[in-house]
Amino acid sequence: MAPRMSAAVGGGAEASTLAPPPPPSGPSQLNPPSRVVHFRNVSPRFVTEADLRALCGVHGPVEIVVLVRDTKQALVQFATLENAQAFVTSHLGEGLSAECAGRRVYFNFSKHTELNPNATARSGGDEDHNILLVTFTSASGQIEPAMYQITADVVYSVFSPYGAVDKVVVMRRAKYQALIQFASANGARAARQQLQRRALQIGPSNITLDVRTSHQKDLDVKVPTELTKDYRTAAAGGAMFGAGAAVAGVQPSQMAALQLLLQQQQAQQQQMMRQPQQQMGGMGGGGGGGGGGGGG
């Protein structure tokens, strides 16, 4: 269970409330201005750090985001006091609330004037985890036939532009999911922030990606299959794109460059496999020529 807010920021009244109280009704309910804004009703099932950064970043740079999942709260530190005031002021007409990732979140200036730079990691954040859990959902909410084209190689092709991917495990159960293990937490964080709620287009179907952090330490991939691969080994081979797979919003140049690189790698591997066969064929041909000379 993640530590409470007080462990991350040195104490505060925000961490003591489990359920969000009614939202403030107007400017008279505002706390004294601070460049730290306190959020409530931040459900970990729907709202991510990337969502909060997108909501707040319109009004200025965001320095630190602290998520506390067990209390459904968050703290966001803006670069300047003016940035924080601009954000809060822009939502006064909504009763100090805003829509974030389809959810209504409530906020006010925090009693904290500054957050510890290490608050994110100490508050149970996802910065130090390198494995992602991705859930693929269709518009119907059901597992559609097109989703069976999502193999380990397709997942690798989608996520590897953001960092080196070591392993992929695709799970076809009640939900269609995948686990992606990156070589570093930075790669996992970049992929999560960029791909959360993006659409994976496979043929005529749009499949939405729900990207979360997994707290697993290591994925166990013993035998490479269509659904499980360790890309650090040569046995995994070159990952190729699935039929018609593309990610809405991701630069085509990234995907095209990756595809070309993977094709080159696969061609090199095939060439290396052919060389021993050619050498054996050349030895056999030489033997035949010697026999022919003897016959003459």
Side-chain angles (χ1 to χ4, degrees):
M1 180 178 295
R4 303 180 70 83
M5 185 80 73
S6 56
V9 295
E14 289 97 331
S16 62
T17 304
L18 292 179
S25 57
S28 62
Q29 303 296 323
L30 280 175
N31 292 332
S34 166
R35 66 189 184 113
V36 180
V37 177
H38 172 227
F39 286 81
R40 296 158 293 161
N41 200 37
V42 181
S43 172
R45 292 183 56 195
F46 303 99
V47 182
T48 67
E49 175 186 333
D51 294 327
L52 286 173
R53 286 184 178 273
L55 173 66
C56 299
V58 176
H59 301 278
V62 172
E63 293 184 337
I64 301 174
V65 176
V66 178
L67 296 174
V68 183
R69 288 166 173 76
D70 56 344
T71 61
K72 297 184 178 180
Q73 299 179 68
L75 291 174
V76 175
Q77 179 172 302
F78 287 85
T80 67
L81 178 61
E82 290 73 21
N83 296 149
Q85 288 177 315
F87 169 75
V88 172
T89 302
S90 68
H91 294 282
L92 288 179
E94 301 177 66
L96 289 179
S97 69
E99 185 173 305
C100 184
R103 311 289 292 184
R104 180 61 53 175
V105 296
Y106 304 99
F107 52 84
N108 205 330
F109 290 116
S110 172
K111 294 179 175 62
H112 300 284
T113 58
E114 188 174 356
L115 299 178
N116 187 321
N118 298 321
T120 302
R122 291 198 292 165
S123 65
D126 298 331
E127 302 302 306
D128 55 345
H129 297 286
N130 66 321
I131 298 180
L132 299 178
L133 172 63
V134 184
T135 302
F136 303 93
T137 57
S138 64
S140 65
Q142 305 295 323
I143 296 181
E144 297 183 355
M147 296 171 70
Y148 286 94
Q149 297 184 42
I150 302 176
T151 62
D153 283 351
V154 171
V155 174
Y156 177 91
S157 299
V158 171
F159 282 83
S160 58
Y162 303 95
V165 173
D166 287 347
K167 303 175 184 179
V168 174
V169 175
V170 178
M171 299 168 288
R172 295 170 177 172
R173 300 173 182 170
K175 295 181 179 180
Y176 208 108
Q177 297 178 307
L179 287 164
I180 304 101
Q181 180 171 328
F182 283 81
S184 70
N186 288 336
R189 179 170 60 254
R192 176 168 53 85
Q193 292 176 351
Q194 295 297 322
L195 293 176
Q196 171 67 348
R197 294 189 175 85
R198 291 291 179 88
L200 178 67
Q201 185 175 352
I202 302 180
S205 300
N206 285 330
I207 310 299
T208 302
L209 309 180
D210 182 15
V211 185
R212 305 287 173 173
T213 298
S214 171
H215 291 267
Q216 293 195 41
K217 300 300 182 182
D218 186 55
L219 299 182
D220 185 17
V221 178
K222 296 180 180 178
V223 179
T225 68
E226 181 184 53
L227 301 180
T228 61
K229 286 192 177 181
D230 185 339
Y231 289 92
R232 299 171 303 174
T233 65
M240 301 305 297
F241 280 22
V247 180
V250 176
Q251 296 182 3
S253 59
Q254 286 183 310
M255 306 294 280
L258 176 65
Q259 185 178 25
L260 177 60
L261 175 62
L262 294 173
Q263 288 175 338
Q264 292 173 345
Q265 291 176 345
Q266 188 179 54
Q268 291 174 354
Q269 291 174 352
Q270 292 175 346
Q271 179 64 26
M272 292 175 63
M273 294 176 63
R274 285 197 294 265
Q275 285 178 352
Q277 297 176 354
Q278 293 173 349
Q279 292 174 356
M280 292 180 64
M283 293 175 62

